[in-house]
Amino acid sequence: MLETICDIMVDAYKRNWITSRDGNVSIRHNDRNHFYITPSGVRKQTLQPDQFKKIGIEKGYYGQPPSTHYSHNVMEYSDISKNLVPSGELPLHFGLQKEMGKRDVRVVVHVHPTYCIAAMHAGIDLSSISKAFPELNRYTKVAPNVGDVRPISQELADRCHENLHLDGYGNIDYDIVGIKGHGVLAIDTSPWRAFEHIERLEHICQIVLASGKY
C-alpha cells in the first residue's frame, strides 16, 4: 500500500490540497508492531515507498513529548529512509496507530484542502454542514472542528483524538476532522477510502461557500 499512498499524495498535490513538501500519511496493519509514515520535508509529488519511516509501537508511551519519546520508536527500514526523519505530525499519527480497534488496516491522511480550510476560516463547523448533504453524511462522519492549535504538537494530537472520540482501544466515532487554519485528518482502511472522505467534504465546502449562505 505504500505505492498507493505515493499515488494519493500526487493526486493531493494536483488538486492543490498540498504544496510540494506538505501533508503526511501513515499506515498500519493490526498484526504488526509498527507502522509507516511519510518523511518530513520531501517533495510529495515524487515520494517513493523506500522513503517512508518505520515506527515501532511496543516501546511507546502515548502522551510523552516527541523529543523524549517518539524518536526512540524509529526503526531501520531502507538505506534511503534512514537519512530522513518522520513527519513532524508523528504525535498525531502515533496515537491513532498505537491502538486500532477492530480494523485490520488503518490509514491516516493529513492534507490541506482549500475549501475545507476556507470554510473553517469563515466560521463554519464542518460537522454541522455535513448534516444537510446526504451524499456526504451517508458515507462520511465528520467530527466537530479542532480550533487554533499549534501544528506538530502533542496538543494538536490530543485535540484531534478527542474530537474523533478516540478511546483506549483505538476505536473512533468519526472518519474525518477539520483543524482550523490548518487542514483535515481522515482515517479509513485504505488510502483511497480515506482520500474519498476528504474529497466529499471538500466538494460540499465548495458548494456551501459558493452559496454564500452560512
Side-chain angles (χ1 to χ4, degrees), residues 17-213:
W17 290 1
I18 55 173
T19 58
S20 289
R21 303 183 194 276
D22 293 345
N24 38 85
V25 184
S26 68
I27 180 170
R28 182 189 174 197
H29 293 77
N30 69 359
D31 60 347
R32 300 172 194 175
N33 64 350
H34 61 266
F35 65 93
Y36 294 96
I37 189 168
T38 47
S40 175
V42 303
R43 292 171 61 85
K44 300 307 191 297
Q45 69 270 41
T46 59
L47 182 68
Q48 299 298 316
D50 58 4
Q51 291 179 304
F52 281 71
K53 299 297 293 186
K54 186 177 180 180
I55 309 297
I57 294 174
E58 289 186 347
K59 295 179 181 179
Y61 299 94
Y62 171 64
Q64 298 300 313
S67 60
T68 60
H69 161 49
Y70 295 109
S71 60
H72 299 303
N73 293 76
V74 178
M75 304 170 69
E76 290 293 333
Y77 177 50
S78 73
D79 289 341
I80 293 176
S81 70
K82 71 181 181 182
N83 296 316
L84 300 171
V85 297
S87 167
E89 297 291 6
L90 181 54
L92 193 59
H93 292 264
F94 193 93
L96 288 161
Q97 299 291 13
K98 183 173 181 289
E99 302 290 347
M100 292 176 52
K102 297 179 180 178
R103 299 191 182 203
D104 293 328
V105 179
R106 172 164 284 173
V107 178
V108 181
V109 179
H110 173 48
V111 291
H112 312 144
T114 303
Y115 293 104
C116 290
I117 296 174
M120 290 185 284
H121 186 71
I124 298 172
D125 190 310
L126 304 184
S127 66
S128 64
I129 64 170
S130 71
K131 299 172 185 175
F133 294 90
E135 63 269 35
L136 174 63
N137 62 48
R138 282 181 63 195
Y139 305 105
T140 299
K141 300 175 187 175
V142 184
N145 297 353
V146 171
D148 288 307
V149 182
R150 183 171 60 87
I152 60 173
S153 67
Q154 186 64 51
E155 182 184 4
L156 176 63
D158 292 342
R159 297 293 83 76
C160 287
H161 299 162
E162 288 172 7
N163 285 26
L164 288 164
H165 292 178
L166 175 67
D167 66 18
Y169 301 98
N171 302 299
I172 55 174
D173 289 339
Y174 299 97
D175 301 307
I176 189 168
V177 61
I179 307 164
K180 187 174 183 290
H182 190 173
V184 300
L185 185 75
I187 303 97
D188 214 302
T189 56
S190 77
W192 285 117
R193 286 177 66 91
F195 191 90
E196 287 173 8
H197 293 310
I198 303 168
E199 185 178 40
R200 290 187 195 102
L201 184 56
E202 175 78 340
H203 180 60
I204 296 306
C205 286
Q206 185 176 6
I207 292 170
V208 170
L209 291 170
S211 75
K213 297 180 180 180

